[in-house]
Amino acid sequence: MLEEWKFSQKKWDEAECKARLKARRLDLAGLQQPIKAAGLPVIVLIEGWGASGKGSMIRSLIRELDPRGFLVRSVTMPTQEERRWPFLKRHFEAIPEQGKILFLDSGWMDETVRERLRGDLSDGEYQRRLESVRMFERQLAAGGYLLVKLFLHIEQDAQRKRLEKLEKHKDTAWRVGENDWRQNKNYRRTQEAFDDFMEATHTDWAPWKVIDSTSAPYAQAAAADWLYQQITAALRCPPTAEPPVYRWPLVETEPLEKIKLDKSLDKDKYQRELEACREKLEDLHNQLYRKKIPVVIAYEGWDAAGKGGNIKRLASALDPRGYEVVPIASPTPDEKHRHYLWRFWRKLPKTGHIAIFDRSWYGRVMVERLEGFCTLEDWQRAYDEINEFERELTDAGAVVLKFWVQIDKDTQLQRFQARENTPEKRWKITDEDWRNREKWDEYQVAVNEMLARTNTENAPWYILESVDKRYARIKALKIVIRALEQALD
Amino acid sequence: MLEEWKFSQKKWDEAECKARLKARRLDLAGLQQPIKAAGLPVIVLIEGWGASGKGSMIRSLIRELDPRGFLVRSVTMPTQEERRWPFLKRHFEAIPEQGKILFLDSGWMDETVRERLRGDLSDGEYQRRLESVRMFERQLAAGGYLLVKLFLHIEQDAQRKRLEKLEKHKDTAWRVGENDWRQNKNYRRTQEAFDDFMEATHTDWAPWKVIDSTSAPYAQAAAADWLYQQITAALRCPPTAEPPVYRWPLVETEPLEKIKLDKSLDKDKYQRELEACREKLEDLHNQLYRKKIPVVIAYEGWDAAGKGGNIKRLASALDPRGYEVVPIASPTPDEKHRHYLWRFWRKLPKTGHIAIFDRSWYGRVMVERLEGFCTLEDWQRAYDEINEFERELTDAGAVVLKFWVQIDKDTQLQRFQARENTPEKRWKITDEDWRNREKWDEYQVAVNEMLARTNTENAPWYILESVDKRYARIKALKIVIRALEQALD
């Protein structure tokens, strides 16, 4: 994209630039209310050369905006702590809520290109990064996010002069970093790296726009113009993206109705096995911590299937400083107004830690599907999005396991009734549980489809037969133990 | 506290310890539902010697608990990034929501004592830390938080043996740090430092409990016992604390009704001044960044007084990578279920950055007072709590400014009507605005009291006469400029 780029494509003289910029700033301010009303989330990613004017660009674009409707984020290189999570985490975590504009002063491109040029990423790792970025941008667009990506372009000489000028003044000298000079000295090589990244991430739903930044007034007017066009287009017709083409290889699953539920374990054997598993897990958790492997365990299952008790037995075998149980309830307003995967990205474990999700992102293809909280397209697309999400985790070295806690309809009824008849357990049963029960058959269809479409090799589903809860608990512990042993092997 | 402590005060033999522990664990599990029902937030701070068994203690206490009702946090020394905020920030940020128990594996005591022993804190800084901690614990207790503070005590020999044992095994060797050996080698000196901290923070509402940890079963049984007693007591009678004794020196204020609102600025002069202030601020913001001074600016004012436009003019003069506008609306469920200052602690700027709060913590003594969202004691106590909060910020080097945007009742009416008659501004006016207007006089009483009781030298209030919005904007800009110049001086 930059290779064939010609500078001096300016169509406007300086007076016209200024007039346009002024008009467009007011136009952009005028769009804030429509953006809010439409619930359109906008991400404006501003990448470019060091000293190409990214800061002034943002400042110019927001000049007339109501500060309550936008956010600016200056993205620096990840800290040591941030490197303990998958690359995308901090970027996903920063996405704006519906109706707000987020301006990013560089982001996932700068990070990736820098690390590549420094030799911190192998070719394979770099290609994998590109995949992550494409996935990230596609999921956001499909989720209704408008992505505006600008690249501020200047020539080698112009960059050098700007860096020299900045260095002269005490109050601006700190803005010039080693990396800026490295770029300037290796201009061709850096440009090739930018170009390669941009070619690989230039899509219909998140196209790159190269802005000639030789003159600030022109660059700002052109950017304001482009941003205005992109937002008005998105307001007319909401963002979208094509579905992922590649489907993850799936492992076949058995439909729920075929699963035998007669397995059981007597109390003595249970106690012995529980103690043995606990000791084993304690030991594995220490090793995990030392080898910095993160673990993600998701629990799903019928109401009253015994999820809570199962999680408790697993959790109590772990070092409490190294795990967290993440209960997933209906989304808070903050969560509801962002991409549905946002709240899960935020709760991922860092290296060496374990996150146990009590219900999970699979709500998208169960309750949200059945209750109509998302559209048909939304939940159908979600299978692949979830597979992609889990792939990001396992590619970053995580162990990912998913449990479905299974009982039959009669067992559920008995447990509901037992809860209602036991005063100290009555809070556990709500009208909603009874309503969900009425939809058992619909849920079964959805769960079977979910299992079939998301049972990947890297992030497999396991069925826990939980008519006998003791059996289910020991089975879960053993599966976790085996998975950790394999990961530590 | 530790000086006069005698080891071997054990009252129970090992069998009794085990039986008690087992029973108390079940008792604690049985308290989870009452804790949830009462909305009681519980913080269990476990401090103690290195290798005194803090980890196993937590593990033992949570053994029978439902993982959805508690959280465990292992508090390490603050990172470089975390040091860019006031000491209390990361601790305040971690407080649990109502109905949940938070177990802390060391915390503000370990951090403070370590830094003191390392010589990173001067005597004055250390005394200031103690004040912060006392304030923190008192505010939490007054806000209904139960604080249970345990100190796990072992003798020098016992510690040495444990450290040696841990170091022998590959999977536990990483648990032993330099600090643990330093403690052991300087046992007396460390004990004195612990003792000093504990004496200074031993209060009725957050007492220390020293636990003899020579034998793990005894320590765990004793801790479970104590925790059970503390929780049952708090459920019977909610936590509370005495009000702060010391009152901040206040600067006298003028009542709103005496403020002259006839000030104005013509358009030409306004434009010239605006441009001049912008340039000045741009320059100051750079210096601020370099000198790592954080700035907190809070805006309060009548509906339609021109808060938004005022903030916009201020914000547009700042480097967008260095400030954030924080709009404060009604609290989300997450926020409502925690101490009312929690959401503000979370949004504080780091060193060199500016946070502009569009409405603020003063909601406590205005809308929450008048709408009955908190009790009489709550809002009356809040004046001092807010003064303390702001004192924490300014003592950490922050500039804190507060603006009250003032208009008269007639001007508000005209602006409300103008909004209703202008289609693109109609969204700005809601029924709530009209309802608030009816309470003008009550609000005026509350605002006058607020100004009078929170106008401190370190965090002063400024009135912006905003019948002429241009005048108010330039006044705000000049006040900010002067404050920054003073801070940079």
Side-chain angles (χ1 to χ4, degrees), chain A residues 97-110:
Chain A
E97 60 184 311
Q98 290 168 4
K100 297 229 169 168
I101 310 177
L102 171 69
F103 291 90
L104 292 172
D105 182 349
S106 80
W108 42 96
M109 168 165 160
D110 186 53

Side-chain angles (χ1 to χ4, degrees), chain A residues 33 59 63-64 67-68 72 105 171 174-175 278 282 286 289-290 312 319-321 325 358 427, chain B residues 59 63-64 67-68 72 105 171 174-175 278 282 286 289-290 308 312 319-321 325 358 427:
Chain A
Q33 193 46 32
R59 201 155 155 177
R63 175 100 171 225
E64 296 296 335
R68 287 167 287 197
V72 174
D105 182 349
D171 288 330
W174 59 269
R175 288 188 186 279
R278 265 202 181 122
E282 183 171 350
N286 268 329
Y289 190 90
R290 212 158 44 83
K312 195 164 132 182
D319 183 332
R321 293 169 294 187
V325 174
D358 183 355
W427 60 274
Chain B
R59 201 153 154 178
R63 175 100 171 224
E64 296 297 333
R68 287 168 287 197
V72 175
D105 180 350
D171 289 330
W174 59 269
R175 288 189 185 277
R278 263 202 184 121
E282 183 171 349
N286 269 327
Y289 190 89
R290 213 156 43 81
K312 195 164 133 182
D319 184 332
R321 294 169 294 187
V325 174
D358 182 355
W427 61 273

Side-chain angles (χ1 to χ4, degrees), chain B residues 159-224:
Chain B
Q159 191 191 28
R160 185 176 43 73
K161 278 179 198 149
R162 288 186 189 192
L163 291 174
E164 283 166 356
K165 193 177 164 199
L166 284 170
E167 277 195 335
K168 265 197 200 126
H169 300 282
K170 164 176 90 169
D171 289 330
T172 53
W174 59 269
R175 288 189 185 277
V176 180
E178 217 184 317
N179 188 61
D180 298 310
W181 279 117
R182 202 178 304 122
Q183 278 189 350
N184 192 254
K185 273 163 197 152
N186 306 286
Y187 187 90
R188 289 291 317 163
R189 194 172 150 240
T190 309
Q191 176 163 310
E192 273 164 35
F194 282 145
D195 210 38
D196 191 79
F197 185 96
M198 289 164 73
E199 291 286 356
T201 55
H202 187 63
T203 54
D204 281 349
W205 48 89
W208 280 103
K209 172 75 175 171
V210 180
I211 303 263
D212 179 347
S213 298
T214 314
S215 130
Y218 171 77
Q220 292 168 12

Side-chain angles (χ1 to χ4, degrees), chain A residues 320-321, chain B residues 28 31-32 35 40-48 54-55 57-62 65 69-75 91 94-97 100-109 136-137 140 145-152 205-209 211 219-220 222-231 234:
Chain A
R321 293 169 294 187
Chain B
L28 285 170
L31 287 179
Q32 283 192 279
I35 286 173
L40 177 72
V42 182
I43 297 176
V44 184
L45 173 64
I46 302 186
E47 299 273 9
K54 297 194 283 285
M57 173 63 81
I58 293 180
R59 201 153 154 178
S60 172
L61 293 175
I62 64 172
L65 298 185
F70 72 86
L71 268 171
V72 175
R73 203 166 158 258
S74 186
V75 181
H91 300 299
I95 60 171
E97 59 185 311
K100 297 227 170 172
I101 310 177
L102 171 69
F103 291 90
L104 291 171
D105 180 350
S106 81
W108 43 95
M109 167 165 162
F136 175 52
E137 295 184 348
L140 288 181
Y145 278 72
L146 170 62
L147 273 145
V148 181
K149 303 191 297 187
L150 305 177
F151 182 87
L152 308 195
W205 48 89
W208 280 103
K209 172 75 175 171
I211 303 263
Q220 292 168 12
D225 222 48
W226 176 254
L227 180 56
Y228 177 78
Q229 285 168 27
Q230 297 293 303
I231 294 176

Side-chain angles (χ1 to χ4, degrees), chain A residues 252-268:
Chain A
E252 218 177 315
T253 53
E254 216 175 6
L256 290 186
E257 51 278 27
K258 291 211 172 162
I259 288 161
K260 295 219 172 65
L261 291 168
D262 54 355
K263 287 142 182 161
S264 70
L265 206 59
D266 74 53
K267 206 170 171 181
D268 279 357

Side-chain angles (χ1 to χ4, degrees), chain A residues 178 265 329 403:
Chain A
E178 218 185 315
L265 206 59
F403 288 126

Side-chain angles (χ1 to χ4, degrees), chain A residues 333-346:
Chain A
D334 259 15
E335 294 167 346
K336 214 178 303 179
H337 296 147
R338 285 186 176 80
H339 192 279
Y340 72 99
L341 286 175
W342 179 69
R343 56 180 176 149
F344 306 107
W345 275 101
R346 295 177 82 198

Side-chain angles (χ1 to χ4, degrees), chain B residues 9-56:
Chain B
Q9 295 180 316
K10 286 181 265 178
K11 294 158 290 187
W12 315 316
D13 65 22
E14 183 151 341
E16 199 179 343
C17 285
K18 285 197 172 155
R20 270 188 179 257
L21 179 58
K22 198 171 174 185
R24 278 302 183 231
R25 277 181 186 149
L26 291 173
D27 290 342
L28 285 170
L31 287 179
Q32 283 192 279
Q33 193 45 33
I35 286 173
K36 195 175 164 190
L40 177 72
V42 182
I43 297 176
V44 184
L45 173 64
I46 302 186
E47 299 273 9
W49 293 93
S52 60
K54 297 194 283 285
S56 333

